Amino acid sequence: MRFALLRHDAAITSALARQVARRGRDLPTVLVALPVLALFARSWLGELPAERREVILVIAAFLIAAALARALVGRLEYHRTEGALAHFAQRSTDAVGYVLPPLLVGLAVLLASVRGLGGLMGTSTVIGIVAGVIVGLIAAALRLRLAWLATGLVPRGKHVMEGSHLLPLAAASSGLVGLVCALLPSETYLAAMVAGGYALMVALLAGQVDAAVVRYMAMVGRSAADLLRRWLPLQLALLVPAAAVLALSQSGVAAGIAALAAFGLPAFTILRVLAYRAFDRMPADWLVTIIVAITAYLMLSLPPLGPLAILAAMVWLARRGRGARWLIA
């Protein structure tokens, strides 16, 4: 087993860390914002009842483990298709040597973080993390298969995000999904599961934002509005009709899941696009993660402040990214 892919990405990570360390505005953000956020989360969790605290930490561990596994598989797919070391990425032993060590290290850090935030190393935490890894791997494989299928269905020369002729079909399909969920028995959680599965599929197919594409389009003179028109219309067409149908049918949990997806995915996409215009990919991802965490806390403690925090972050990122065309200025 060779570790060429792992050494390659470790060198990239080291270079990015040195780059962040040299920047006067980025290093304080990492050294101050993250510890303050951790202390803030620990203080808030400490005030909750023990059972609720454990539930929140298990859910958070599940989501983080799923995101980590999905990100590693996605990075491996990049190495197989576009990376400079594609020869190594095609080998199954090298692929395992690339995915397994970072996954184990990440899970160890996650367990330590859960313990540091006041959680217990119980069976529920371990099950949540293992389930998150499994779901992340399945989601990554499903995204690749669905992306391949969508590429085959789109006419040659047309990008799935740019095919405006697909929007009416997407909206009709979304409304049909909402109608099916509304007709399912209300005494079970089947409607909520279908709505959640549909939202996940939309996020996998239409929720990907390529930082390199955003930076290139910004540098050649495309405005933030032009960038958002590339990603948002399809997301809204796939999510809003289903949420509207379920809201009108008063379907309870399913309507809440659909509404959360219809608001959350476009908002998350806007934050990522604006952040990628203003910062490099890794600092932008960290910044968006911090913004989402703060917003989630505000939604739980002071709900009216959550949307205001999102809007304030969008305005700040939009202003910060106005100078993104410096390469051709």
Side-chain angles (χ1 to χ4, degrees):
M1 183 183 298
R2 300 181 181 180
F3 298 96
L5 298 173
L6 200 58
R7 292 196 298 269
H8 176 270
D9 278 13
I12 294 176
T13 303
S14 177
L16 290 174
R18 290 194 300 270
Q19 184 180 8
V20 171
R22 294 192 191 103
R23 294 183 178 180
R25 65 175 182 270
D26 292 338
L27 184 59
T29 300
V30 175
L31 295 180
V32 176
L34 292 181
V36 169
L37 182 63
L39 292 174
F40 194 61
R42 181 181 174 85
S43 175
W44 173 66
L45 290 170
E47 298 176 356
L48 297 177
E51 293 183 358
R52 184 179 298 181
R53 180 171 65 249
E54 290 302 316
V55 169
I56 292 174
L57 288 175
V58 168
I59 293 174
F62 168 84
L63 294 175
I64 294 173
L68 176 62
R70 182 172 173 270
L72 288 173
V73 174
R75 181 65 177 173
L76 177 63
E77 183 63 22
Y78 164 80
H79 281 301
R80 285 177 171 172
T81 56
E82 303 178 34
L85 302 177
H87 172 68
F88 295 97
Q90 299 299 329
R91 301 176 178 176
S92 58
T93 55
D94 287 18
V96 172
Y98 173 74
V99 173
L100 190 57
L103 181 62
L104 294 177
V105 171
L107 295 181
V109 173
L110 178 58
L111 284 171
S113 300
V114 171
R115 179 61 178 168
L117 290 174
L120 299 176
M121 295 296 100
T123 305
S124 58
T125 303
V126 176
I127 293 176
I129 291 176
V130 172
V133 172
I134 295 173
V135 170
L137 295 176
I138 294 175
L142 182 62
R143 183 186 69 83
L144 295 175
R145 299 297 181 270
L146 292 177
W148 174 83
L149 178 60
T151 302
L153 294 175
V154 176
R156 187 177 300 274
K158 297 289 185 179
H159 193 282
V160 77
M161 300 302 178
E162 296 175 345
S164 58
H165 60 285
L166 294 177
L167 296 181
L169 178 61
S173 302
S174 176
L176 181 61
V177 171
L179 181 60
V180 170
C181 291
L183 294 176
L184 291 174
S186 57
E187 61 272 10
T188 67
Y189 287 99
L190 183 59
M193 294 173 62
V194 173
Y198 175 73
L200 177 61
M201 184 182 70
V202 172
L204 293 174
L205 274 177
Q208 306 300 314
V209 179
D210 192 330
V213 172
V214 173
R215 293 293 293 175
Y216 174 77
M217 293 178 68
M219 288 186 293
V220 298
R222 303 291 291 273
S223 66
D226 292 333
L227 292 172
L228 294 177
R229 279 195 293 268
R230 178 181 173 87
W231 279 278
L232 288 186
L234 185 61
Q235 293 182 6
L236 295 175
L238 287 170
L239 292 173
V240 171
V245 170
L246 288 171
L248 292 175
S249 65
Q250 298 180 351
S251 298
V253 178
I257 293 175
L260 181 62
F263 169 78
L265 182 60
F268 186 61
T269 299
I270 293 173
L271 286 174
R272 293 179 69 191
V273 169
L274 296 178
Y276 288 150
R277 291 182 77 244
F279 301 95
D280 292 335
R281 184 185 63 83
M282 184 170 291
D285 287 337
W286 275 109
L287 183 60
V288 171
T289 301
I290 293 173
I291 292 172
V292 170
I294 294 175
T295 303
Y297 171 77
L298 292 176
M299 291 293 290
L300 292 173
S301 57
L302 299 170
L305 295 182
L308 295 179
I310 288 286
L311 290 175
M314 290 177 181
V315 171
W316 177 72
L317 289 172
R319 291 182 176 178
R320 184 65 183 267
R322 285 179 178 175
R325 291 176 288 178
W326 60 273
L327 285 180
I328 61 173

